Amino acid sequence: MKKLLYTICALFALHATAQQTPAPEQTGVYTIMNATAHIGNGDVIENSVIVIENGKITAIADATTVRMDIKGEKIDAYGMHVYPGIIAMNSTLGLVEVDAVNASDDEREIGTYNPHIRSIIAYNAESRVVESMRPNGVLIAQVVPRGGRISGKSSVVQLDAWNWEDAAIRTDDGIHINWPSSFSRSGSWRNPGPIEPSKNYDEQVTELTDFLNSAKAYSATPNPVGVNLKYAALKDAMNGDDNIYFHVDGEKGIRDVLTFVKANNVEKPVIVGGREGDKVAAELVAMNVPVLASRVHDLPAREDEDYDMPYKFPKLLADKGVMVALENSGSMERHQARNFPFYAGTVAGHGMDMEKALMMITLTPAKILGIDKDYGSLEQGKSATLFISRGNALDMRGNQLTRAFIDGRDISLNSHQTELYERYMNKYDAEIKR
């Protein structure tokens, strides 16, 4: 009974403190002047002029070389920086609100093979966690289910919406497969044993392969006998219309995935995590397989690995020609997603060019998701999904947003965290003045 009361109170608190009202559709025109524009494709305009109209970027140019009439509201961003909206890849944003409250946890389904599960219909647009992403410039997210051998389908959302229908940018962009682990550690978390080859690895790979081959055969059959929802859900991915995301780490596991991809003519494979992927970079490049590199702010995967391997891993891949974006799965992943700009900043701090590091959280993710026609960079004709920062947005000290827009809508940058900040700053300011 006590547990039930706690759950009811928690749910009431979540409802009572829901996200603020989403911004209305753009009606006027905005002209951003004098900012340094980081295009997202590697280019920079030191003194830019950007015109936002009807939700689109209708003009972007160097203000020192192009004369342009100022339309609508002039936003003087002198000394500031403009960036495309940051994209949080492989996230569970909006699927869990409070881990300890089961009723707010909808990130996974029971069962092993769930390709028919769609994360988008479980997405909570009023999540307080989602709200806290925007003040750091994270404006778009790929929402991914977890669990099982095949978790289900992910979708792409913008982070200022009334409901999942309003939020959706692209629904069902791909299937997520958790490739069997080729190595495992015996013992417990208190007394871990040695890392050894998994005894059931070959059996698990065979089972997964048989399932996918059956789905492929089902999709190729004009009039299959009976309806199999799980097989049918894999049709677009097996036919090459959607991505297949293989969550896999380790050299052997990645090589086995590439063997499977080649044998089954998988057209749009993506490696997620990909630790030790630098050892098979040549094969990844030859097969045009992008990698969502595992969380940058993490510990080394092996005892004999360089202490800074997570920091420099994306650059190691990129230097060898692999298309790389950043992802964030792991402990406290929903709350940590606000750190995406700082992941890119850490990569830049370990040798990567700053603008190329920015691409790993903007244009490259957009290309992998198939939304780069409208998102991922500051270009004429694309969606006006961008933000203005006082300083370098990839640096914690400079990431101070003044304005942000999603599809031209002037969105709120307030959150529970900003309210607490203002409350206690006022408190301490009053004490200092005494």
Side-chain angles (χ1 to χ4, degrees):
M1 183 66 181
K2 186 180 291 185
K3 183 177 180 182
L4 177 61
L5 289 175
Y6 285 155
T7 301
I8 292 172
C9 290
L11 289 175
F12 177 78
L14 292 176
H15 178 74
T17 58
Q19 184 185 68
Q20 66 262 17
T21 303
E25 295 295 322
Q26 179 184 2
T27 54
V29 180
Y30 301 103
T31 300
I32 304 172
M33 298 288 297
N34 306 318
T36 299
H38 301 263
I39 306 303
N41 61 3
D43 295 335
V44 177
I45 301 177
E46 295 293 343
N47 187 355
S48 66
V49 55
I50 303 172
V51 180
I52 303 173
E53 195 169 1
N54 297 321
K56 300 287 186 180
I57 298 174
T58 56
I60 178 168
D62 186 335
T64 63
T65 60
V66 175
R67 186 176 183 84
M68 188 179 298
D69 293 333
I70 297 175
K71 298 180 179 180
E73 178 186 347
K74 176 185 175 181
I75 303 173
D76 188 355
Y78 178 78
M80 301 185 190
H81 300 257
V82 180
Y83 296 85
I86 292 168
I87 302 174
M89 295 291 285
N90 187 32
S91 76
T92 51
L93 285 170
L95 299 183
V96 182
E97 193 67 7
V98 180
D99 289 287
V101 180
N102 291 337
S104 73
D105 187 335
D106 204 7
E107 70 176 358
R108 66 185 66 212
E109 291 291 339
I110 60 173
T112 304
Y113 294 94
N114 294 312
H116 56 307
I117 296 301
R118 304 175 66 222
S119 64
I120 187 66
I121 61 174
Y123 176 72
N124 175 20
E126 292 191 340
S127 167
R128 295 290 295 275
V129 183
V130 168
E131 178 184 79
S132 69
M133 299 298 113
R134 301 193 302 256
N136 279 15
V138 180
L139 306 182
I140 298 174
Q142 180 194 33
V143 182
V144 181
R146 298 282 188 244
R149 184 64 65 210
I150 300 181
S151 304
K153 296 182 179 182
S154 60
S155 291
V156 187
V157 298
Q158 53 86 2
L159 303 185
D160 183 65
W162 287 97
N163 48 48
W164 70 261
E165 291 96 333
D166 291 338
I169 291 175
R170 182 182 177 188
T171 58
D172 305 330
D173 71 282
I175 291 285
H176 290 258
I177 297 175
N178 297 302
W179 194 261
S181 177
S182 56
F183 290 88
S184 61
R185 186 189 291 274
S186 59
S188 64
W189 67 272
R190 289 185 178 180
N191 298 299
I195 296 177
E196 301 173 343
S198 298
K199 297 179 181 179
N200 299 325
Y201 177 72
D202 291 336
E203 178 183 336
Q204 292 171 344
V205 170
T206 299
E207 181 183 280
L208 173 60
T209 303
D210 289 345
F211 183 89
L212 293 174
N213 286 336
S214 297
K216 188 174 184 180
Y218 179 90
S219 299
T221 303
N223 297 300
V225 178
V227 176
N228 189 312
L229 295 179
K230 294 186 177 184
Y231 289 165
L234 283 163
K235 182 177 180 179
D236 290 339
M238 299 304 290
N239 290 344
D241 295 326
D242 295 337
N243 292 336
I244 299 183
Y245 297 89
F246 294 92
H247 297 242
V248 59
D249 288 307
E251 180 181 357
K252 175 174 172 52
I254 296 173
R255 289 191 185 278
D256 288 345
V257 167
L258 295 180
T259 298
F260 173 83
V261 166
K262 191 172 183 179
N264 291 274
N265 297 316
V266 177
E267 293 186 28
K268 294 183 178 180
V270 180
I271 298 294
V272 181
R275 289 183 172 181
E276 298 188 6
D278 53 309
K279 298 179 180 179
V280 292
E283 292 90 332
L284 291 169
V285 173
M287 297 176 64
N288 195 30
V289 179
V291 174
L292 303 185
S294 56
R295 183 189 291 179
V296 173
H297 293 175
D298 205 351
L299 296 173
R302 303 190 315 270
E303 294 177 356
D304 60 344
E305 200 169 65
D306 292 348
Y307 77 93
D308 59 352
M309 178 56 77
Y311 311 148
K312 64 185 181 182
F313 177 62
K315 183 178 185 298
L316 291 177
L317 290 175
D319 286 348
K320 295 181 179 181
V322 180
M323 178 186 285
V324 184
L326 304 184
E327 64 102 7
N328 177 58
S329 59
S331 176
M332 297 290 290
E333 62 181 82
R334 285 167 296 283
H335 303 82
Q336 295 283 3
R338 66 169 67 92
N339 290 326
F340 262 91
F342 312 135
Y343 296 156
T346 299
V347 174
H350 285 75
M352 176 67 74
D353 175 79
M354 187 69 73
E355 300 308 317
K356 290 182 179 178
L358 176 65
M359 287 178 64
M360 292 183 176
I361 55 174
T362 54
L363 186 57
T364 300
K367 288 181 177 179
I368 293 171
L369 295 170
I371 61 171
D372 56 300
K373 180 181 178 182
D374 296 307
Y375 298 92
S377 60
L378 304 178
E379 299 180 66
Q380 185 174 343
K382 285 194 173 186
S383 166
T385 299
L386 52 89
F387 63 91
I388 304 171
S389 175
R390 295 187 188 277
N392 180 0
L394 306 191
D395 187 316
M396 289 185 182
R397 297 165 298 180
N399 187 295
Q400 300 177 32
L401 272 64
T402 61
R403 300 284 284 272
F405 302 86
I406 294 179
D407 296 325
R409 297 180 296 113
D410 189 3
I411 67 171
S412 170
L413 294 175
N414 292 327
S415 70
H416 182 58
Q417 281 73 23
T418 59
E419 291 174 1
L420 289 174
Y421 170 80
E422 291 173 0
R423 178 194 304 175
Y424 287 102
M425 283 300 294
N426 291 334
K427 175 180 184 295
Y428 295 128
D429 285 343
E431 290 181 356
I432 291 172
K433 293 176 181 177
R434 287 178 183 176

